[in-house]
Amino acid sequence: MKSTSGRITWQEAVPRVIADFVMVHLSMVAALAVSVVYQVAVGSGTEAHALTGDFTNYYTRFFWGMSPIFPLIFGLNGFYTHTRSYASLQKNWVILRTVLVAVMLFFGLNAMFGNTVAGRSVDLPFMVFVGLALCGSRFLKGYIEDRFDVKPKNGLTTTNGKSHVLVVGGAGYIGSLLTERLLQMGHKVRVLDSLLYGKESLRPVESHPDFELMVGDCRNIRDVIRAVRGVESIVHLAAIVGDPACEQDREAALEINYAATRMMIEVAKGHGVGRMLFASSCSVYGATDVEMGERSKVSPISLYAQTKVDSERALLSAKNEEFHPTILRFATVFGLGYRPRFDLVVNLLSAKAKQDGTITIFNGQQWRPFIHVRDIVEAMICTLRSPVRLVSGETFNVGDSRLNHTLQDVAEIVQEVFPGTKVEHVENADRRNYRVNFDKIHDRLGFSARYTIRDGVEELKAAFEEGLIQDYKDLRYNNQRFLQVAGAVGNKNEIDSLIMAAFAKVRNEGGPVPVVGEVVTARPEVLKVASASA
């Protein structure tokens, strides 16, 4: 059985090592051929003949014995572990950089210990050919995978040529864009959403033949069971998002953000779902002056962040050989979506600059990590397409170190895009301050953000100017204010309430995770009804 760790098995690595070894030798032979042809073409037949004789001696006495240094250096630089799931540009850069290091080391050893040398007329073409061969072979492989929908081993699996993905919370700010992107890639997508904020965000995909909308509650066991059947992967985005919204209805926040996640884990494992991506948040790091990485200690200072930490722990403890959860800790999101949110700092400041001409900055020297909503979508796609061994049981900060900014930085960008904007500075008790390191997702999965904060502010400006957004104060665009008016999103179903209470109780008592068939043992008639309905 394959290991699901970050290391490749030797059975997978050996063919790739052999292939690279052969390409290195073919590159050296090709370099000789080019040099000989050149010498003959310029009328230096004698030099060409001498070069051929010298090369035979060089190749058999030195190059053959020292050539294993190339796959050794390649292996140390991740050729046989990480580059398989890199994005093309990142992969090619890693390959070229490593080839250069290997070539320099090889020729350095050649100069120190070798009795013969091939000469510059061979050395230079060799460096070009080996770089082209290694980059070209991997580029061709990636092209074939994309062109003919061949996915990386243990990445998105397919049924009849199409992977079936469940997006829980797929009508939301992030979920609606992810749904569209997955459909564009040729996958089948089922969305489970209560449509609390309406279904307008799904209008662009509602008629797509591979799209299925299932209106339901992630706290309802029957809805979850129906939604999970037949899917290979789950992306769990459903949540009451944000500190104020969670504080407004703490019971619903605990049910939706934590207890429902525990229930979904058991249902997914029971139905053989292999992959589950969970949307967490960089807010789990709390307030700190130190740059935070995935190994840093979490220190949640809000109910919202605490529910994310608890859900992360539940998911990671559930990992086994068949179930592979991945935690994605999102930076602060910005940018235009099908259901824009103006309770997020960059979006809100952009809207206020456009409509009010004045923005207020609270504690301007505090740091935040930011990421465009479409970059989050690409990070999730990248994770789903990656081999299981790279992402199973792993936690990734999702963002880009270039987008760590102070709030004052954001204000200055908004002022540049909206000239004449007045900025008011206010100090308050909110001391959240954190910078985040995103090297892991960049180095392991090859993810980099495409959009800057300025890009996001400019697209929001264009949306206002084109009339796509009439009033940023519309309740639909603000989670907390919408919930204030709509009222509590409490559980109205007795069965669901019992199940959620049982899973929430696990968190409070630290006991073992109940399976779905055990959570209502005190009320067997209720379980019977739930099972029959599902």
Side-chain angles (χ1 to χ4, degrees):
M1 183 172 292
K2 283 184 183 178
S3 168
T4 57
S5 69
R7 297 182 180 277
I8 194 170
T9 62
W10 69 267
Q11 294 95 331
E12 295 174 294
V14 167
R16 304 178 74 205
V17 171
I18 293 173
D20 285 345
F21 187 73
V22 170
M23 282 190 285
V24 167
H25 280 264
L26 290 177
S27 296
M28 179 55 79
V29 173
L32 169 68
V34 167
S35 182
V36 169
V37 169
Y38 173 76
Q39 297 290 350
V40 172
V42 298
S44 301
T46 302
E47 292 185 17
H49 180 74
L51 178 64
T52 304
D54 291 341
F55 179 82
T56 301
N57 184 44
Y58 170 76
Y59 183 81
T60 56
R61 287 194 170 190
F62 187 81
F63 185 82
W64 181 263
M66 289 298 296
S67 57
I69 198 172
F70 287 93
L72 175 62
I73 297 297
F74 298 163
L76 293 175
N77 281 270
F79 273 34
Y80 312 121
T81 53
H82 300 336
T83 58
R84 182 184 297 181
S85 59
Y86 277 167
S88 295
L89 290 177
Q90 175 69 5
K91 179 187 295 185
N92 289 338
W93 164 242
V94 171
I95 292 170
L96 289 173
R97 181 188 66 198
T98 306
V99 167
L100 181 60
V101 170
V103 167
M104 291 176 63
L105 179 60
F106 176 82
F107 287 127
L109 293 173
N110 190 178
M112 293 173 63
F113 304 110
N115 295 321
T116 59
V117 294
R120 283 180 297 177
S121 64
V122 174
D123 293 346
L124 292 178
F126 169 68
M127 287 190 285
V128 173
F129 289 149
V130 74
L132 289 175
L134 293 166
C135 288
S137 62
R138 286 160 172 82
F139 176 82
L140 180 62
K141 177 176 178 288
Y143 174 79
I144 292 173
E145 287 176 347
D146 292 338
R147 177 67 177 82
F148 299 101
D149 200 33
V150 179
K151 301 298 181 284
K153 204 167 189 179
N154 292 324
L156 275 176
T157 55
T158 59
T159 302
N160 297 326
K162 297 180 179 180
S163 170
H164 204 165
V165 182
L166 169 64
V167 182
V168 184
Y173 179 42
I174 299 171
S176 55
L177 292 173
L178 174 63
T179 297
E180 179 184 58
R181 184 75 175 92
L182 285 167
L183 290 169
Q184 289 172 349
M185 293 173 64
H187 302 296
K188 299 178 67 175
V189 183
R190 177 182 297 155
V191 164
L192 174 64
D193 200 293
S194 64
L195 300 184
L196 178 65
Y197 301 101
K199 62 182 296 185
E200 189 64 27
S201 62
L202 294 174
R203 296 292 182 198
V205 299
E206 63 181 356
S207 60
H208 197 288
D210 290 325
F211 171 70
E212 178 186 2
L213 173 61
M214 187 174 291
V215 181
D217 193 327
C218 66
R219 296 170 292 179
N220 183 296
I221 187 172
R222 291 161 292 186
D223 291 341
V224 173
I225 290 174
R226 287 190 299 118
V228 165
R229 284 175 179 155
V231 304
E232 291 96 16
S233 305
I234 298 174
V235 180
H236 184 14
L237 296 167
I240 294 181
V241 180
D243 301 349
C246 286
E247 290 297 335
Q248 187 170 290
D249 190 343
R250 294 177 66 89
E251 181 179 355
L254 181 59
E255 288 183 350
I256 296 172
N257 293 12
Y258 172 70
T261 302
R262 299 213 75 142
M263 181 183 72
M264 198 177 303
I265 292 169
E266 300 306 321
V267 174
K269 292 174 72 174
H271 283 76
V273 177
R275 305 284 290 268
M276 187 168 178
L277 271 58
F278 177 72
S280 187
S281 168
C282 285
S283 65
V284 299
Y285 296 120
T288 176
D289 293 325
V290 179
E291 185 179 72
M292 307 299 283
E294 289 84 355
R295 293 181 179 273
S296 301
K297 181 179 179 181
V298 296
S299 183
I301 58 176
S302 67
L303 175 62
Y304 172 67
Q306 185 63 57
T307 61
K308 292 299 184 183
V309 169
D310 292 337
S311 292
E312 286 184 10
R313 290 170 177 164
L315 280 156
L316 295 180
S317 66
K319 173 185 173 294
N320 59 30
E321 292 294 334
E322 287 76 40
F323 181 69
H324 306 285
T326 304
I327 309 301
L328 300 177
R329 291 176 178 165
F330 297 155
T332 304
V333 193
F334 67 90
L336 185 66
Y338 291 124
R339 186 217 153 208
R341 283 185 54 196
F342 291 104
D343 51 358
L344 298 169
V345 61
V346 174
N347 294 358
L348 176 60
L349 293 178
S350 301
K352 289 176 71 67
K354 173 62 179 176
Q355 290 192 199
D356 304 338
T358 301
I359 60 177
T360 302
I361 301 298
F362 296 92
N363 309 321
Q365 296 309 309
Q366 291 183 356
W367 288 86
R368 294 285 190 281
F370 295 96
I371 185 170
H372 193 282
V373 61
R374 290 190 182 273
D375 279 327
I376 280 186
V377 168
E378 291 308 313
M380 289 188 287
I381 295 294
C382 184
T383 307
L384 283 171
R385 288 174 61 88
S386 295
V388 164
R389 59 185 171 73
L390 292 184
V391 299
S392 178
E394 296 290 342
T395 299
F396 294 95
N397 293 331
V398 179
D400 193 305
S401 296
R402 296 170 297 175
L403 271 71
N404 277 313
H405 288 281
T406 65
L407 299 182
Q408 176 60 34
D409 292 338
V410 177
E412 292 173 358
I413 294 170
V414 171
Q415 274 188 306
E416 292 172 2
V417 178
F418 296 95
T421 299
K422 181 181 178 182
V423 180
E424 297 177 348
H425 292 274
V426 177
E427 297 293 318
N428 65 13
D430 183 359
R431 307 320 301 175
R432 287 177 300 165
N433 180 72
Y434 51 95
R435 283 174 292 178
V436 178
N437 183 289
F438 300 100
D439 288 348
K440 181 177 178 180
I441 193 168
H442 177 271
D443 294 343
R444 182 171 296 192
L445 305 187
F447 170 78
S448 295
R450 294 176 54 200
Y451 297 89
T452 65
I453 289 181
R454 186 182 184 92
D455 293 332
V457 175
E458 288 179 342
E459 73 175 356
L460 286 166
K461 179 182 180 182
F464 278 107
E465 292 174 346
E466 294 170 13
L468 299 179
I469 303 169
Q470 299 296 326
D471 182 8
Y472 78 91
K473 298 177 183 178
D474 190 306
L475 292 178
R476 293 173 299 169
Y477 304 144
N478 187 299
N479 287 355
Q480 182 194 14
R481 293 179 59 231
F482 182 92
L483 293 174
Q484 278 181 329
V485 174
V489 289
N491 232 318
K492 297 179 175 60
N493 184 292
E494 182 184 10
I495 301 172
D496 299 338
S497 297
L498 287 168
I499 294 174
M500 290 297 97
F503 278 102
K505 187 177 180 181
V506 173
R507 171 180 177 268
N508 295 330
E509 296 183 353
V513 181
V515 295
V516 172
E518 296 173 343
V519 294
V520 286
T521 50
R523 296 287 302 279
E525 70 280 6
V526 175
L527 177 60
K528 183 177 180 180
V529 172
S531 301
S533 301

